[in-house]
Amino acid sequence: KNEVEQSPQNLTAQEGEFITINCSYSVGISALHWLQQHPGGGIVSLFMLSSGKKKHGRLIATINIQEKHSSLHITASHPRDSAVYICAVRSGNTGNQFYFGTGTSLTVIP
Amino acid sequence: SQTIHQWPATLVQPVGSPLSLECTVEGTSNPNLYWYRQAAGRGLQLLFYSVGIGQISSEVPQNLSASRPQDRQFILSSKKLLLSDSGFYLCAWNRVFTETQYFGPGTRLLVL
Protein backbone atom coordinates (compact mmCIF):
# COMPACT_ATOMS: atom_id res chain seq x y z
CA LYS A 1 0.00 0.00 0.00
CA ASN A 2 1.34 3.42 -0.95
CA GLU A 3 1.87 5.98 1.78
CA VAL A 4 -0.07 8.50 -0.33
CA GLU A 5 -3.22 7.58 -2.23
CA GLN A 6 -5.00 9.89 -4.64
CA SER A 7 -8.44 9.64 -6.17
CA PRO A 8 -9.62 9.65 -8.79
CA GLN A 9 -6.74 8.59 -11.02
CA ASN A 10 -8.38 10.14 -14.06
CA LEU A 11 -11.01 12.84 -14.24
CA THR A 12 -12.80 14.40 -17.19
CA ALA A 13 -14.96 17.46 -16.62
CA GLN A 14 -16.91 19.99 -18.64
CA GLU A 15 -15.69 23.55 -18.57
CA GLY A 16 -17.20 25.38 -15.62
CA GLU A 17 -17.63 22.34 -13.40
CA PHE A 18 -16.47 22.22 -9.78
CA ILE A 19 -13.70 19.66 -9.38
CA THR A 20 -12.43 17.84 -6.31
CA ILE A 21 -9.30 15.72 -6.09
CA ASN A 22 -8.67 13.75 -2.93
CA CYS A 23 -5.49 12.69 -1.17
CA SER A 24 -5.16 10.34 1.79
CA TYR A 25 -1.91 9.54 3.53
CA SER A 26 -0.86 7.01 6.13
CA VAL A 27 2.27 8.57 7.65
CA GLY A 28 2.79 11.39 10.11
CA ILE A 29 3.59 14.51 8.18
CA SER A 30 5.09 17.93 8.68
CA ALA A 31 3.62 19.32 5.44
CA LEU A 32 1.50 18.38 2.45
CA HIS A 33 2.04 19.74 -1.05
CA TRP A 34 -0.17 19.94 -4.09
CA LEU A 35 1.76 20.03 -7.37
CA GLN A 36 0.59 20.60 -10.93
CA GLN A 37 2.38 18.87 -13.79
CA HIS A 38 1.67 20.16 -17.28
CA PRO A 39 1.67 17.91 -20.38
CA GLY A 40 5.24 18.92 -21.19
CA GLY A 41 6.38 17.66 -17.80
CA GLY A 42 7.02 20.92 -16.00
CA ILE A 43 5.91 20.95 -12.36
CA VAL A 44 4.59 23.89 -10.41
CA SER A 45 4.01 23.93 -6.69
CA LEU A 46 0.41 25.01 -6.01
CA PHE A 47 0.06 24.80 -2.24
CA MET A 48 1.90 23.82 0.89
CA LEU A 49 -0.37 22.96 3.80
CA SER A 50 0.24 22.00 7.37
CA SER A 51 -3.27 22.78 8.61
CA GLY A 52 -6.55 24.34 7.58
CA LYS A 53 -7.27 25.75 4.18
CA LYS A 54 -5.59 27.84 1.50
CA LYS A 55 -7.04 29.60 -1.51
CA HIS A 56 -5.34 30.91 -4.62
CA GLY A 57 -7.58 32.19 -7.37
CA ARG A 58 -9.92 29.38 -8.37
CA LEU A 59 -7.95 26.78 -6.44
CA ILE A 60 -8.68 25.79 -2.86
CA ALA A 61 -6.78 23.24 -0.81
CA THR A 62 -7.86 21.84 2.53
CA ILE A 63 -6.28 19.44 4.96
CA ASN A 64 -7.66 17.48 7.90
CA ILE A 65 -4.71 16.35 9.99
CA GLN A 66 -6.78 14.06 12.22
CA GLU A 67 -8.27 12.22 9.25
CA LYS A 68 -4.99 12.34 7.27
CA HIS A 69 -6.82 13.67 4.25
CA SER A 70 -6.50 16.61 1.90
CA SER A 71 -8.61 17.86 -0.98
CA LEU A 72 -7.84 20.12 -3.91
CA HIS A 73 -10.83 21.95 -5.35
CA ILE A 74 -11.01 23.81 -8.63
CA THR A 75 -13.96 26.14 -9.09
CA ALA A 76 -15.25 27.13 -12.55
CA SER A 77 -12.84 24.74 -14.25
CA HIS A 78 -11.22 25.76 -17.52
CA PRO A 79 -9.43 23.76 -20.24
CA ARG A 80 -6.13 25.31 -19.16
CA ASP A 81 -6.57 23.50 -15.83
CA SER A 82 -5.96 20.24 -17.68
CA ALA A 83 -2.90 18.71 -16.08
CA VAL A 84 -1.78 16.03 -13.65
CA TYR A 85 -2.23 17.01 -10.01
CA ILE A 86 0.12 15.38 -7.54
CA CYS A 87 -0.20 15.16 -3.78
CA ALA A 88 3.06 14.91 -1.85
CA VAL A 89 3.80 14.73 1.87
CA ARG A 90 6.93 15.39 3.84
CA SER A 91 7.31 12.89 6.64
CA GLY A 92 7.02 14.30 10.13
CA ASN A 93 10.03 12.25 11.21
CA THR A 94 13.55 13.64 11.09
CA GLY A 95 15.15 13.63 7.68
CA ASN A 96 13.83 14.63 4.33
CA GLN A 97 11.52 11.79 3.37
CA PHE A 98 8.93 12.68 0.78
CA TYR A 99 6.09 10.45 -0.35
CA PHE A 100 4.20 11.12 -3.57
CA GLY A 101 0.84 10.11 -4.91
CA THR A 102 0.73 8.81 -8.46
CA GLY A 103 -1.27 11.81 -9.56
CA THR A 104 -4.73 12.62 -10.87
CA SER A 105 -4.96 13.31 -14.58
CA LEU A 106 -7.54 16.04 -15.18
CA THR A 107 -8.99 16.88 -18.58
CA VAL A 108 -11.37 19.81 -18.85
CA ILE A 109 -13.41 19.81 -22.04
CA PRO A 110 -14.56 23.11 -23.54
CA SER B 1 14.13 36.59 -9.37
CA GLN B 2 15.16 32.98 -9.05
CA THR B 3 15.42 30.55 -11.94
CA ILE B 4 16.38 26.91 -12.19
CA HIS B 5 17.95 25.36 -15.26
CA GLN B 6 18.36 21.75 -16.28
CA TRP B 7 20.12 20.27 -19.24
CA PRO B 8 19.89 18.51 -21.47
CA ALA B 9 16.14 18.56 -22.03
CA THR B 10 16.15 15.16 -23.71
CA LEU B 11 18.75 12.42 -23.78
CA VAL B 12 18.91 9.01 -25.41
CA GLN B 13 21.73 6.82 -24.14
CA PRO B 14 22.73 3.19 -24.66
CA VAL B 15 22.75 0.75 -21.76
CA GLY B 16 26.09 0.79 -20.00
CA SER B 17 27.00 4.33 -20.97
CA PRO B 18 27.72 7.06 -18.38
CA LEU B 19 25.33 9.83 -17.47
CA SER B 20 25.68 13.40 -16.31
CA LEU B 21 22.67 15.66 -15.81
CA GLU B 22 23.21 19.17 -14.58
CA CYS B 23 21.01 21.52 -12.61
CA THR B 24 21.81 25.11 -11.71
CA VAL B 25 19.90 27.69 -9.72
CA GLU B 26 20.19 31.43 -10.11
CA GLY B 27 19.15 34.29 -7.89
CA THR B 28 19.44 32.63 -4.50
CA SER B 29 22.14 31.44 -2.13
CA ASN B 30 22.54 28.22 -0.18
CA PRO B 31 19.40 26.57 -1.50
CA ASN B 32 18.35 23.04 -0.63
CA LEU B 33 18.57 21.03 -3.84
CA TYR B 34 16.71 17.91 -4.88
CA TRP B 35 16.79 15.29 -7.64
CA TYR B 36 13.55 13.45 -8.43
CA ARG B 37 12.73 10.75 -10.94
CA GLN B 38 9.35 10.09 -12.48
CA ALA B 39 9.22 6.74 -14.23
CA ALA B 40 6.61 6.22 -16.94
CA GLY B 41 3.19 5.74 -15.38
CA ARG B 42 4.52 6.15 -11.87
CA GLY B 43 4.73 8.90 -9.30
CA LEU B 44 7.65 11.09 -8.37
CA GLN B 45 10.46 9.57 -6.35
CA LEU B 46 13.00 11.56 -4.39
CA LEU B 47 16.49 10.37 -5.30
CA PHE B 48 18.88 12.79 -3.60
CA TYR B 49 18.84 16.01 -1.66
CA SER B 50 21.55 18.40 -0.61
CA VAL B 51 21.65 21.05 2.08
CA GLY B 52 25.07 22.40 1.11
CA ILE B 53 28.21 22.00 -0.98
CA GLY B 54 29.48 18.46 -0.83
CA GLN B 55 26.53 17.34 1.34
CA ILE B 56 24.43 14.69 -0.38
CA SER B 57 21.77 12.45 1.10
CA SER B 58 20.38 9.49 -0.81
CA GLU B 59 16.82 8.38 -0.30
CA VAL B 60 16.92 5.10 -2.22
CA PRO B 61 19.71 2.72 -3.19
CA GLN B 62 20.32 2.80 -6.90
CA ASN B 63 22.61 3.01 -9.83
CA LEU B 64 22.89 6.79 -9.61
CA SER B 65 24.97 9.27 -7.64
CA ALA B 66 24.79 12.99 -7.06
CA SER B 67 27.30 15.72 -6.40
CA ARG B 68 27.17 19.38 -5.45
CA PRO B 69 30.48 20.94 -6.45
CA GLN B 70 29.18 24.50 -6.11
CA ASP B 71 26.49 26.17 -4.03
CA ARG B 72 23.98 26.39 -6.87
CA GLN B 73 25.01 23.40 -8.97
CA PHE B 74 23.65 19.88 -8.56
CA ILE B 75 24.78 17.03 -10.78
CA LEU B 76 23.21 13.60 -11.24
CA SER B 77 25.53 10.91 -12.54
CA SER B 78 25.83 7.27 -13.37
CA LYS B 79 28.86 5.23 -14.41
CA LYS B 80 26.76 2.65 -16.29
CA LEU B 81 23.15 3.25 -17.20
CA LEU B 82 20.53 0.54 -16.87
CA LEU B 83 17.31 0.24 -18.84
CA SER B 84 15.43 0.93 -15.62
CA ASP B 85 17.10 4.34 -15.36
CA SER B 86 14.82 5.65 -18.09
CA GLY B 87 12.47 8.34 -16.86
CA PHE B 88 11.86 11.99 -16.35
CA TYR B 89 14.39 13.61 -14.01
CA LEU B 90 13.48 16.75 -12.18
CA CYS B 91 15.67 19.05 -10.17
CA ALA B 92 14.11 21.29 -7.53
CA TRP B 93 15.17 23.80 -4.92
CA ASN B 94 13.77 25.49 -1.89
CA ARG B 95 14.94 28.10 0.54
CA VAL B 96 16.27 26.81 3.83
CA PHE B 97 13.53 26.46 6.45
CA THR B 98 10.77 26.87 3.88
CA GLU B 99 8.67 24.16 2.28
CA THR B 100 7.71 25.34 -1.17
CA GLN B 101 9.87 23.74 -3.83
CA TYR B 102 10.52 25.14 -7.28
CA PHE B 103 11.00 22.65 -10.05
CA GLY B 104 13.20 22.76 -13.10
CA PRO B 105 11.93 21.90 -16.59
CA GLY B 106 13.15 18.32 -16.34
CA THR B 107 15.26 15.98 -18.46
CA ARG B 108 13.69 13.08 -20.34
CA LEU B 109 16.13 10.18 -20.33
CA LEU B 110 15.64 7.14 -22.50
CA VAL B 111 18.05 4.26 -22.05
CA LEU B 112 18.06 1.80 -24.93
Side-chain angles (χ1 to χ4, degrees):
Chain A
K1 187 180 185 301
N2 293 334
E3 291 82 357
V4 179
E5 298 279 358
Q6 282 185 240
S7 63
Q9 284 190 315
N10 297 284
L11 183 57
T12 300
Q14 289 292 131
E15 183 173 357
E17 284 186 6
F18 180 83
I19 289 164
T20 296
I21 300 171
N22 295 300
C23 174
S24 297
Y25 53 92
S26 57
V27 295
I29 69 167
S30 59
L32 181 143
H33 299 255
W34 281 103
L35 310 173
Q36 182 191 53
Q37 185 171 29
H38 291 281
I43 291 181
V44 174
S45 179
L46 298 175
F47 293 103
M48 188 281 291
L49 295 162
S50 54
S51 64
K53 175 180 174 179
K54 286 189 176 179
K55 184 176 189 293
H56 185 257
R58 295 181 293 106
L59 301 177
I60 302 167
T62 63
I63 188 169
N64 185 316
I65 298 294
Q66 287 73 29
E67 295 184 2
K68 294 188 173 179
H69 181 269
S70 175
S71 294
L72 177 67
H73 306 285
I74 304 175
T75 61
S77 59
H78 190 275
R80 64 174 174 265
D81 297 326
S82 298
V84 174
Y85 293 84
I86 300 169
C87 176
V89 301
R90 180 198 284 266
S91 171
N93 298 326
T94 57
N96 208 25
Q97 185 64 48
F98 279 89
Y99 300 97
F100 293 87
T102 53
T104 294
S105 179
L106 171 65
T107 302
V108 181
I109 301 170
Chain B
S1 64
Q2 299 82 25
T3 54
I4 177 168
H5 303 279
Q6 281 186 249
W7 64 91
T10 306
L11 189 60
V12 180
Q13 291 284 90
V15 169
S17 64
L19 173 74
S20 181
L21 302 182
E22 190 162 343
C23 170
T24 58
V25 180
E26 295 177 358
T28 188
S29 296
N30 196 32
N32 293 331
L33 295 171
Y34 305 81
W35 277 112
Y36 294 93
R37 175 170 60 200
Q38 187 178 40
R42 302 183 65 181
L44 282 166
Q45 181 185 39
L46 177 63
L47 301 176
F48 301 96
Y49 71 94
S50 172
V51 299
I53 295 174
Q55 300 179 64
I56 310 294
S57 296
S58 174
E59 289 298 309
V60 292
Q62 59 210 316
N63 182 43
L64 302 168
S65 61
S67 61
R68 186 170 176 174
Q70 300 180 45
D71 181 44
R72 288 169 287 181
Q73 184 185 31
F74 206 20
I75 297 172
L76 184 69
S77 304
S78 173
K79 292 182 179 178
K80 287 186 178 181
L81 283 168
L82 306 172
L83 288 173
S84 58
D85 292 324
S86 294
F88 188 53
Y89 289 82
L90 287 150
C91 181
W93 73 275
N94 70 328
R95 291 186 182 85
V96 177
F97 304 124
T98 67
E99 278 287 340
T100 300
Q101 292 191 15
Y102 303 92
F103 287 82
T107 295
R108 294 199 180 279
L109 172 66
L110 179 60
V111 182
L112 300 175

